[in-house]
Amino acid sequence: MAKVLTLLVLRLLMNLLLIGWISLWIIKPTTIWIQSWRQAEDTARHTFFGYYGLNFAVFSFPPIALSIVGLIYLSLLPQHHHPTRGGRGAAITVSRPAIINSFIGIVSCFEILALLLFLLFLAWNFYARVSNDFKKLMPVKTMNLNLWQLKYYRVATRFGLLAEACLSLLLFPVLRGLSMFRLLNIEFAASVKYHVWFGTGLIFFSLVHGGSTLFIWTITHHIEEEIWKWQRTGRVYVAGLISLVTGLLMWITSLPQIRRKKFEVFYYTHHLYIVFLVAFLFHAGDRHFYWVLPGMFLFGLDKILRIVQSRSESCILSANLFSCKAIELVVPKDPMLNYAPSSFIFLNIPLVSRFQWHPFSIISSSSVDKHSLSIMMKCEGDWTNSVYNKIEEAANCENKINNIIVRVEGPYGPASVDFLRYDNLFLVAGGIGITPFLSILKELASKNRLKSPKRVQLVFAVRTFQDLNMLLPIASIIFNPIYNLNLKLKVFVTQEKKPSNGTTTLQEFLAQSQVQSIHLGTDEDYSRFPIRGPESFRWLATLVLITVLTFLGFLIGLSHFFIPSEHKNHSGVMKLAASGAMKTAKEKVPSWVPDLIIIVSYVIAISVGGFAATILQRRRKHKEAPRMSKEVVIKPEERNFTELKPIPITEEHEIHIGERPKLEEIMSEFEKNLRGWSSVGVLVCGPESVKEAVASMCRQWPQCFGVEDLRRSRMKMNLNFHSLNFNL
């Protein structure tokens, strides 16, 4: 009871923090807030906390506090808890696809609502600022502008605030270990598209802001003197130009046409974000920077935690080479490390490349494989082909190669086993997109749960018969009846007419498939190189708190040292400042001094967080060094992929040759076999065309925010669409 009450209090606190931060953004452009905030800053300026501490506490701390409270909340939940299964009345679905477009992707009802609210906020912010500017038009001292030029100049300036709003949210979607989207059960692969949206908005508003400003300077012949002006207080325009150029370069190289063909160009160019953020700080000033600091703060700490984790080395215990040019790699893990199905890791193999990291879905289940973790990759690029060749060389080499070193970051995945809340599952995979479903099916087969999907339909589309080998890791699940689970598989081979080995059933084909199993590690490697995963949520919350207190301490301390303040005769100082007879302490120092203080405080705080994480990792390494017995370890090389027990009567799984899946017909057949109304989780992983086809099919059962189509009032199921693809 106490734990439930604590969770409710934490959830209430998270909602209050979120609502409070959003409210600050809404009232920020109002005249009442501007006047009240100036008075609050003047009051705080002459205290130990200072105006800088006040800005941080009000504008920056709420999202960081939300992250801390969220991590504590997740630490109190049962590990990979099972969400409550809703009935017909509770089936309010906001994940249903509403817009399906090859350019913007698949957009759900909830995402449309959130996007409209954000655009409404931007419109309000822009209107409030511009209308206030037009009421108090003041000429620019250094330029002679007529009325339209002055208005246009003010409008261009306010577009910069819209870019600032996008920047404040830009980095939250790409957090991994500290991701707050986990509280909404939104996975990293899905939240990346929000980063793309915010980034596109940021570049658009920045281009309008910077381009319009340069246009006014050009037609008034002030561009040379203005752009190189490094003002003692106020804007640093050359820094704004640097920020605009680097941001535009990152955006161009992140376009799909470049990112997919030249991933390394995209990856390394994106590290210019450091230059972009520093230039933005010098251009906008410290007061504006406090609004965007939360995302930058959490991203920096998240990055350093990932670096600390990725420094630990592991090794490949074994590998299975499939004839379809796919590889299954098995690495050791700590038996205490658990992860939810559909989780993924980032993998680095120094033997192939010391700098490239690639994400791969985990195909094993921590409920079954306590001491090892498996991934599968399809060799279709330079890096994956190099991995395949290295493993193949190790198998054919006379001097056996042991300990192919790897580095692993993760696992990352949902906080809850989300798919267990559905009555039935409809899984659609294209090619290597089968990988997350392998772990889901292994999880379903591992335990006889009362609350788990009873019927599972798997639709698997491949180009060639050889690609069917990717089903071998779950062959025993496919062909052996599982208590309380009805699994049916429909396979579609789209580009071949008949198998080369003359088989007619899926069971016969998999039984004759050739798999080369290679043992690369030793029994000692299980205890020498286990993957331990990220720190627990509780320790992550502690690290965030340590880092934020360090930052605040150095921010206040350095500001007191380098920015003089008047603590004596506070009332007299306030009167002088109000009358203009005395400049405040902030105005006495160059604008770049507070900017540098923020940078130094940030670097020190993130370094302290990284040092604390390193200590925690070493502590875990010495404390958790499990020795794994041979009895509990199922060695990959001992698996026999061809021992498939025959099904007693007939094989219910189907192979369709030379055709593509007709999803509507398959779903209609699936619906006929259901008893009564039920919720159906529709999960898809594969190429964009497969995702769009599944999303289009789901729209035939429209129910957004609980409003059912009256024409389908007799339908038996409520479809809940989920995409598991990586959009990196």
Side-chain angles (χ1 to χ4, degrees):
M1 185 63 184
K3 188 174 183 180
V4 174
L5 183 61
T6 303
L7 289 173
L8 289 174
V9 171
L10 291 175
R11 187 178 297 178
L12 177 62
L13 182 57
M14 287 189 290
N15 289 328
L16 291 176
L17 287 169
L18 180 61
I19 293 171
W21 196 56
I22 294 175
S23 300
L24 287 176
W25 276 98
I26 294 175
I27 66 175
K28 177 185 175 184
T30 61
T31 304
I32 296 176
W33 170 261
I34 293 173
Q35 293 175 351
S36 302
W37 185 248
R38 285 175 180 171
Q39 294 176 1
E41 274 196 334
D42 289 336
T43 303
R45 194 186 305 275
H46 308 282
T47 64
F48 174 79
F49 208 46
Y51 85 93
Y52 25 80
L54 180 65
N55 275 271
F56 178 81
V58 175
F59 302 141
S60 302
F61 187 68
I64 299 174
L66 176 61
S67 176
I68 295 173
V69 176
L71 290 169
I72 296 173
Y73 177 83
L74 290 173
S75 70
L76 295 177
L77 290 176
Q79 195 166 42
H80 308 311
H81 67 286
H82 307 155
T84 304
R85 302 176 71 184
R88 179 172 184 141
I92 299 176
T93 303
V94 294
S95 63
R96 191 177 307 279
I99 298 176
I100 303 170
N101 183 275
S102 57
F103 180 72
I104 63 173
I106 301 170
V107 185
S108 68
C109 299
F110 175 79
E111 290 168 341
I112 290 177
L113 176 63
L115 185 60
L116 289 176
L117 290 175
F118 182 68
L119 292 176
L120 183 63
F121 157 73
L122 292 180
W124 151 250
N125 197 356
F126 184 75
Y127 168 77
R129 292 289 190 179
V130 171
S131 60
N132 190 43
D133 288 344
F134 284 179
K135 292 177 183 177
K136 304 175 182 179
L137 277 177
M138 298 291 292
V140 181
K141 296 180 180 180
T142 57
M143 295 184 290
N144 294 321
L145 303 179
N146 56 39
L147 184 59
W148 78 266
Q149 292 173 342
L150 184 58
K151 287 186 175 181
Y152 186 67
Y153 189 70
R154 296 303 181 195
V155 169
T157 302
R158 295 314 178 186
F159 266 101
L161 294 179
L162 303 186
E164 177 186 312
C166 293
L167 179 58
S168 66
L169 301 174
L170 179 67
L171 297 175
F172 287 114
V174 290
L175 297 176
R176 297 180 192 173
L178 301 178
S179 175
M180 288 187 284
F181 283 90
R182 197 181 346 227
L183 295 168
L184 302 175
N185 212 33
I186 299 176
E187 296 187 38
F188 172 76
S191 66
V192 167
K193 69 177 177 182
Y194 307 141
H195 174 74
V196 175
W197 292 356
F198 288 130
T200 302
L202 167 64
I203 295 303
F204 172 75
F205 294 130
S206 298
L207 278 174
V208 176
H209 168 67
S212 299
T213 303
L214 292 174
F215 171 72
I216 292 296
W217 288 348
T218 302
I219 63 175
T220 56
H221 308 288
H222 291 92
I223 186 168
E224 291 186 4
E225 60 181 272
E226 289 292 334
I227 202 169
W228 296 110
K229 185 183 295 181
W230 192 289
Q231 302 183 58
R232 182 176 177 82
T233 58
R235 304 289 179 261
V236 180
Y237 296 121
V238 68
L241 183 61
I242 294 172
S243 182
L244 177 61
V245 171
T246 53
L248 190 60
L249 184 60
M250 286 189 291
W251 182 79
I252 291 174
T253 55
S254 66
L255 293 173
Q257 296 83 350
I258 298 177
R259 186 184 73 247
R260 292 170 183 169
K261 294 181 180 179
K262 299 289 183 181
F263 182 82
E264 291 185 13
V265 174
F266 154 76
Y267 177 76
Y268 292 119
T269 305
H270 245 58
H271 283 79
L272 289 173
Y273 72 86
I274 300 174
V275 178
F276 174 83
L277 291 172
V278 171
F280 172 83
L281 171 59
F282 281 104
H283 173 64
D286 59 328
R287 281 187 173 89
H288 287 273
F289 195 74
Y290 284 113
W291 287 95
V292 306
L293 181 61
M296 176 184 169
F297 183 89
L298 292 174
F299 178 80
L301 181 58
D302 187 73
K303 182 76 172 178
I304 201 72
L305 293 178
R306 285 153 43 196
I307 292 174
V308 170
Q309 185 198 356
S310 62
R311 290 178 60 189
S312 297
E313 294 182 342
S314 185
C315 69
I316 299 175
L317 293 173
S318 62
N320 294 308
L321 303 182
F322 301 96
S323 57
C324 60
K325 288 281 285 186
I327 321 174
E328 178 187 0
L329 299 180
V330 182
V331 294
K333 80 170 185 70
D334 192 315
M336 300 298 293
L337 173 61
N338 296 311
Y339 49 85
S342 76
S343 296
F344 66 97
I345 62 171
F346 283 85
L347 181 69
N348 168 259
I349 304 180
L351 186 64
V352 177
S353 173
R354 297 185 63 87
F355 303 105
Q356 290 191 46
W357 291 79
H358 295 267
F360 296 101
S361 294
I362 300 173
I363 67 170
S364 56
S365 168
S366 58
S367 301
V368 180
D369 302 312
K370 293 291 185 181
H371 299 82
S372 62
L373 178 150
S374 303
I375 63 169
M376 182 182 289
M377 64 179 73
K378 189 73 182 295
C379 302
E380 295 178 337
D382 294 338
W383 190 86
T384 49
N385 277 312
S386 297
V387 174
Y388 191 94
N389 294 333
K390 293 293 183 184
I391 299 295
E392 204 169 33
E393 289 176 10
N396 300 327
C397 184
E398 294 182 1
N399 297 323
K400 190 175 181 181
I401 300 177
N402 289 324
N403 294 341
I404 295 181
I405 298 300
V406 299
R407 293 185 175 91
V408 174
E409 181 192 319
Y412 302 114
S416 64
V417 189
D418 191 60
F419 62 89
L420 289 178
R421 68 187 172 100
Y422 299 117
D423 301 313
N424 304 281
L425 289 178
F426 190 88
L427 314 178
V428 182
I432 193 61
I434 190 66
T435 49
F437 301 142
L438 301 181
S439 64
I440 288 176
L441 292 175
K442 287 181 179 180
E443 182 73 15
L444 290 175
S446 65
K447 297 178 180 178
N448 296 324
R449 295 187 177 92
L450 295 177
K451 294 183 178 181
S452 64
K454 300 300 184 292
R455 184 181 296 273
V456 178
Q457 174 69 68
L458 174 59
V459 180
F460 185 33
V462 294
R463 294 178 180 177
T464 66
F465 280 95
Q466 293 296 330
D467 291 335
L468 296 180
N469 290 339
M470 290 185 284
L471 292 173
L472 284 171
I474 57 168
S476 60
I477 299 174
I478 295 174
F479 299 110
N480 294 317
I482 299 173
Y483 174 76
N484 213 23
L485 178 64
N486 187 346
L487 171 64
K488 289 188 177 181
L489 173 63
K490 291 182 183 290
V491 174
F492 293 82
V493 182
T494 60
Q495 296 183 6
E496 287 186 353
K497 298 299 182 182
K498 60 180 180 179
S500 58
N501 55 12
T503 56
T504 57
T505 65
L506 179 62
Q507 184 177 3
E508 291 177 354
F509 180 83
L510 293 181
Q512 296 183 23
S513 299
Q514 295 182 353
V515 181
Q516 185 179 8
S517 297
I518 305 164
H519 184 56
L520 298 170
T522 63
D523 292 343
E524 294 181 356
D525 292 335
Y526 282 94
S527 58
R528 290 174 57 200
F529 300 105
I531 298 171
R532 294 182 172 84
E535 295 292 340
S536 66
F537 291 129
R538 193 167 301 175
W539 277 115
L540 287 176
T542 304
L543 288 173
V544 175
L545 183 61
I546 291 173
T547 308
V548 73
L549 291 177
T550 303
F551 175 82
L552 186 59
F554 275 92
L555 177 68
I556 294 175
L558 292 176
S559 297
H560 274 285
F561 186 80
F562 289 101
I563 302 177
S565 58
E566 297 80 8
H567 295 280
K568 298 179 180 180
N569 194 12
H570 176 250
S571 59
V573 170
M574 290 294 295
K575 292 178 181 179
L576 288 173
S579 64
M582 184 200 77
K583 292 185 178 181
T584 59
K586 172 67 169 61
E587 295 173 334
K588 288 182 178 181
V589 297
S591 61
W592 52 266
V593 173
D595 301 342
L596 283 178
I597 289 175
I598 290 178
I599 294 174
V600 172
S601 302
Y602 176 82
V603 171
I604 294 174
I606 297 300
S607 301
V608 169
F611 179 71
T614 303
I615 294 176
L616 283 177
Q617 187 187 62
R618 291 179 178 176
R619 176 176 170 270
R620 288 178 65 194
K621 187 175 181 180
H622 292 296
K623 184 179 179 181
E624 304 170 1
R627 290 285 175 180
M628 310 174 75
S629 63
K630 297 180 181 180
E631 289 75 18
V632 296
V633 177
I634 302 176
K635 297 182 180 180
E637 74 276 11
E638 295 175 355
R639 297 177 190 169
N640 192 336
F641 290 102
T642 60
E643 288 185 357
L644 304 179
K645 297 179 181 179
I647 292 180
I649 306 175
T650 58
E651 183 180 84
E652 296 184 355
H653 309 302
E654 303 173 8
I655 294 186
H656 300 265
I657 303 173
E659 60 180 286
R660 297 181 181 276
K662 298 178 181 179
L663 295 171
E664 293 82 2
E665 295 181 4
I666 300 173
M667 180 61 77
S668 298
E669 179 184 348
F670 183 72
E671 183 179 16
K672 291 177 182 178
N673 295 324
L674 298 180
R675 296 181 179 178
W677 188 92
S678 64
S679 62
V680 178
V682 181
L683 284 66
V684 58
C685 187
E688 291 297 319
S689 58
V690 175
K691 290 199 300 180
E692 292 172 7
V694 175
S696 299
M697 183 264 298
C698 285
R699 285 202 304 189
Q700 294 188 5
W701 285 264
Q703 185 187 358
C704 190
F705 299 102
V707 181
E708 295 188 10
D709 192 336
L710 296 178
R711 293 172 298 178
R712 299 191 58 89
S713 59
R714 294 182 180 180
M715 69 180 183
K716 292 184 178 181
M717 56 187 180
N718 173 44
L719 303 186
N720 301 268
F721 176 82
H722 300 276
S723 174
L724 302 182
N725 268 37
F726 293 105
N727 296 313
L728 302 181

